Amino acid sequence: MSAKRASSARGRTERAIVTAAVGVWARDRAATLPQIAEAAEVGRTTLHRYFPEREGLVRAAVEHGLEAIGGAIAEAEPDHGHPLAAMRRVVAALASVSEAIMFVFGDQSLLRDVVPTAEPDPPTPHDPVIELIRRGQAEGVFDDQLSAEWIQQVLWAVSYTAFEQVEQGTLAKFDLTAAVTRTLERGITARAGERAESEPES
């Protein structure tokens, strides 16, 4: 039992460090390991015991961020319900992991250099957001004159911009989801007369 408790405590400490790293680096790429140790409420020696090198912590933080983003999208269940309702859930899910998104996607070199692909031409992964958009287009809810990939990029771009404005204090955090949703729906929904289904209730 003592070994189990020690393992559990170690896991909690490691998660605290990695989570703190995501939050700190989302706002300041140049933040030092001592600054992250302070945010994680652990000593510098403790942090160095878990992550002797900065690169190791960066890699762990990227992996944690990607898992958090993927988990949030999965919990939003984009494959269920009316496409507009599902998209609203996805937007709210992205807002819940805004720090992870700002950290991971604020610097594209992280994905290229820190988590390199093992294959030169890997297969296209399952993308639930793309599938949601295509489903919405097939049902006449989203504009089928735009590619699903373009709409997805708009979703990410608008969401990221909203996250930045929250950090800058120009957008209230409680207005974030509504602002992104309104912008998307004014831009990606098909004309009212062309919709296959009526708009769902909020």
PDB file of all heavy atoms in Angstrom, residues 67-82:
ATOM      1  N   GLU A  67      -3.869  15.651 -25.473  1.00  0.00           N
ATOM      2  CA  GLU A  67      -4.824  14.734 -24.833  1.00  0.00           C
ATOM      3  C   GLU A  67      -6.013  15.505 -24.273  1.00  0.00           C
ATOM      4  O   GLU A  67      -7.166  15.059 -24.387  1.00  0.00           O
ATOM      5  CB  GLU A  67      -4.132  13.951 -23.721  1.00  0.00           C
ATOM      6  CG  GLU A  67      -3.147  12.903 -24.225  1.00  0.00           C
ATOM      7  CD  GLU A  67      -2.423  12.206 -23.092  1.00  0.00           C
ATOM      8  OE1 GLU A  67      -2.726  12.510 -21.917  1.00  0.00           O
ATOM      9  OE2 GLU A  67      -1.551  11.360 -23.376  1.00  0.00           O
ATOM     10  N   ALA A  68      -5.733  16.656 -23.664  1.00  0.00           N
ATOM     11  CA  ALA A  68      -6.815  17.464 -23.093  1.00  0.00           C
ATOM     12  C   ALA A  68      -7.757  17.959 -24.181  1.00  0.00           C
ATOM     13  O   ALA A  68      -8.988  17.926 -24.027  1.00  0.00           O
ATOM     14  CB  ALA A  68      -6.226  18.647 -22.317  1.00  0.00           C
ATOM     15  N   ILE A  69      -7.195  18.403 -25.300  1.00  0.00           N
ATOM     16  CA  ILE A  69      -8.011  18.906 -26.405  1.00  0.00           C
ATOM     17  C   ILE A  69      -8.853  17.779 -26.990  1.00  0.00           C
ATOM     18  O   ILE A  69     -10.068  17.926 -27.194  1.00  0.00           O
ATOM     19  CB  ILE A  69      -7.115  19.533 -27.487  1.00  0.00           C
ATOM     20  CG1 ILE A  69      -6.399  20.775 -26.928  1.00  0.00           C
ATOM     21  CG2 ILE A  69      -7.949  19.912 -28.714  1.00  0.00           C
ATOM     22  CD1 ILE A  69      -5.241  21.256 -27.790  1.00  0.00           C
ATOM     23  N   GLY A  70      -8.207  16.650 -27.250  1.00  0.00           N
ATOM     24  CA  GLY A  70      -8.933  15.512 -27.807  1.00  0.00           C
ATOM     25  C   GLY A  70     -10.022  15.013 -26.875  1.00  0.00           C
ATOM     26  O   GLY A  70     -11.132  14.684 -27.314  1.00  0.00           O
ATOM     27  N   GLY A  71      -9.719  14.989 -25.582  1.00  0.00           N
ATOM     28  CA  GLY A  71     -10.703  14.540 -24.603  1.00  0.00           C
ATOM     29  C   GLY A  71     -11.892  15.474 -24.518  1.00  0.00           C
ATOM     30  O   GLY A  71     -13.046  15.029 -24.417  1.00  0.00           O
ATOM     31  N   ALA A  72     -11.629  16.776 -24.570  1.00  0.00           N
ATOM     32  CA  ALA A  72     -12.718  17.757 -24.489  1.00  0.00           C
ATOM     33  C   ALA A  72     -13.641  17.639 -25.694  1.00  0.00           C
ATOM     34  O   ALA A  72     -14.872  17.692 -25.567  1.00  0.00           O
ATOM     35  CB  ALA A  72     -12.144  19.169 -24.401  1.00  0.00           C
ATOM     36  N   ILE A  73     -13.054  17.469 -26.881  1.00  0.00           N
ATOM     37  CA  ILE A  73     -13.872  17.332 -28.087  1.00  0.00           C
ATOM     38  C   ILE A  73     -14.695  16.054 -28.029  1.00  0.00           C
ATOM     39  O   ILE A  73     -15.887  16.042 -28.375  1.00  0.00           O
ATOM     40  CB  ILE A  73     -12.984  17.355 -29.347  1.00  0.00           C
ATOM     41  CG1 ILE A  73     -12.377  18.753 -29.528  1.00  0.00           C
ATOM     42  CG2 ILE A  73     -13.794  16.961 -30.588  1.00  0.00           C
ATOM     43  CD1 ILE A  73     -11.369  18.854 -30.658  1.00  0.00           C
ATOM     44  N   ALA A  74     -14.088  14.965 -27.566  1.00  0.00           N
ATOM     45  CA  ALA A  74     -14.816  13.693 -27.468  1.00  0.00           C
ATOM     46  C   ALA A  74     -15.988  13.817 -26.503  1.00  0.00           C
ATOM     47  O   ALA A  74     -17.088  13.304 -26.768  1.00  0.00           O
ATOM     48  CB  ALA A  74     -13.866  12.590 -27.019  1.00  0.00           C
ATOM     49  N   GLU A  75     -15.776  14.503 -25.369  1.00  0.00           N
ATOM     50  CA  GLU A  75     -16.846  14.664 -24.382  1.00  0.00           C
ATOM     51  C   GLU A  75     -17.995  15.518 -24.920  1.00  0.00           C
ATOM     52  O   GLU A  75     -19.126  15.409 -24.460  1.00  0.00           O
ATOM     53  CB  GLU A  75     -16.286  15.290 -23.111  1.00  0.00           C
ATOM     54  CG  GLU A  75     -15.397  14.343 -22.304  1.00  0.00           C
ATOM     55  CD  GLU A  75     -14.908  14.971 -21.018  1.00  0.00           C
ATOM     56  OE1 GLU A  75     -15.364  16.084 -20.684  1.00  0.00           O
ATOM     57  OE2 GLU A  75     -14.064  14.348 -20.346  1.00  0.00           O
ATOM     58  N   ALA A  76     -17.701  16.358 -25.909  1.00  0.00           N
ATOM     59  CA  ALA A  76     -18.745  17.193 -26.508  1.00  0.00           C
ATOM     60  C   ALA A  76     -19.670  16.384 -27.408  1.00  0.00           C
ATOM     61  O   ALA A  76     -20.720  16.883 -27.826  1.00  0.00           O
ATOM     62  CB  ALA A  76     -18.113  18.325 -27.318  1.00  0.00           C
ATOM     63  N   GLU A  77     -19.290  15.138 -27.710  1.00  0.00           N
ATOM     64  CA  GLU A  77     -20.093  14.241 -28.544  1.00  0.00           C
ATOM     65  C   GLU A  77     -20.535  14.907 -29.851  1.00  0.00           C
ATOM     66  O   GLU A  77     -21.729  15.065 -30.127  1.00  0.00           O
ATOM     67  CB  GLU A  77     -21.315  13.745 -27.776  1.00  0.00           C
ATOM     68  CG  GLU A  77     -20.964  12.944 -26.525  1.00  0.00           C
ATOM     69  CD  GLU A  77     -22.191  12.353 -25.857  1.00  0.00           C
ATOM     70  OE1 GLU A  77     -23.214  13.061 -25.738  1.00  0.00           O
ATOM     71  OE2 GLU A  77     -22.123  11.171 -25.483  1.00  0.00           O
ATOM     72  N   PRO A  78     -19.558  15.296 -30.694  1.00  0.00           N
ATOM     73  CA  PRO A  78     -19.916  15.970 -31.946  1.00  0.00           C
ATOM     74  C   PRO A  78     -20.687  15.110 -32.929  1.00  0.00           C
ATOM     75  O   PRO A  78     -21.277  15.639 -33.883  1.00  0.00           O
ATOM     76  CB  PRO A  78     -18.543  16.364 -32.518  1.00  0.00           C
ATOM     77  CG  PRO A  78     -17.581  15.404 -31.897  1.00  0.00           C
ATOM     78  CD  PRO A  78     -18.104  15.155 -30.527  1.00  0.00           C
ATOM     79  N   ASP A  79     -20.728  13.804 -32.707  1.00  0.00           N
ATOM     80  CA  ASP A  79     -21.450  12.919 -33.621  1.00  0.00           C
ATOM     81  C   ASP A  79     -22.901  12.712 -33.190  1.00  0.00           C
ATOM     82  O   ASP A  79     -23.616  11.919 -33.800  1.00  0.00           O
ATOM     83  CB  ASP A  79     -20.742  11.556 -33.718  1.00  0.00           C
ATOM     84  CG  ASP A  79     -20.544  10.890 -32.365  1.00  0.00           C
ATOM     85  OD1 ASP A  79     -20.569  11.597 -31.332  1.00  0.00           O
ATOM     86  OD2 ASP A  79     -20.355   9.664 -32.328  1.00  0.00           O
ATOM     87  N   HIS A  80     -23.348  13.417 -32.156  1.00  0.00           N
ATOM     88  CA  HIS A  80     -24.720  13.262 -31.673  1.00  0.00           C
ATOM     89  C   HIS A  80     -25.511  14.565 -31.827  1.00  0.00           C
ATOM     90  O   HIS A  80     -24.971  15.657 -31.646  1.00  0.00           O
ATOM     91  CB  HIS A  80     -24.742  12.856 -30.195  1.00  0.00           C
ATOM     92  CG  HIS A  80     -24.324  11.434 -29.960  1.00  0.00           C
ATOM     93  ND1 HIS A  80     -23.017  11.044 -29.944  1.00  0.00           N
ATOM     94  CD2 HIS A  80     -25.050  10.315 -29.742  1.00  0.00           C
ATOM     95  CE1 HIS A  80     -22.940   9.740 -29.722  1.00  0.00           C
ATOM     96  NE2 HIS A  80     -24.157   9.274 -29.602  1.00  0.00           N
ATOM     97  N   GLY A  81     -26.778  14.408 -32.144  1.00  0.00           N
ATOM     98  CA  GLY A  81     -27.681  15.553 -32.160  1.00  0.00           C
ATOM     99  C   GLY A  81     -27.576  16.406 -33.410  1.00  0.00           C
ATOM    100  O   GLY A  81     -26.846  16.105 -34.358  1.00  0.00           O
ATOM    101  N   HIS A  82     -28.353  17.477 -33.431  1.00  0.00           N
ATOM    102  CA  HIS A  82     -28.379  18.416 -34.540  1.00  0.00           C
ATOM    103  C   HIS A  82     -26.981  19.013 -34.720  1.00  0.00           C
ATOM    104  O   HIS A  82     -26.302  19.338 -33.741  1.00  0.00           O
ATOM    105  CB  HIS A  82     -29.403  19.514 -34.256  1.00  0.00           C
ATOM    106  CG  HIS A  82     -29.693  20.395 -35.420  1.00  0.00           C
ATOM    107  ND1 HIS A  82     -28.829  21.375 -35.841  1.00  0.00           N
ATOM    108  CD2 HIS A  82     -30.763  20.441 -36.273  1.00  0.00           C
ATOM    109  CE1 HIS A  82     -29.340  22.008 -36.884  1.00  0.00           C
ATOM    110  NE2 HIS A  82     -30.513  21.450 -37.165  1.00  0.00           N
TER     111      HIS A  82
END
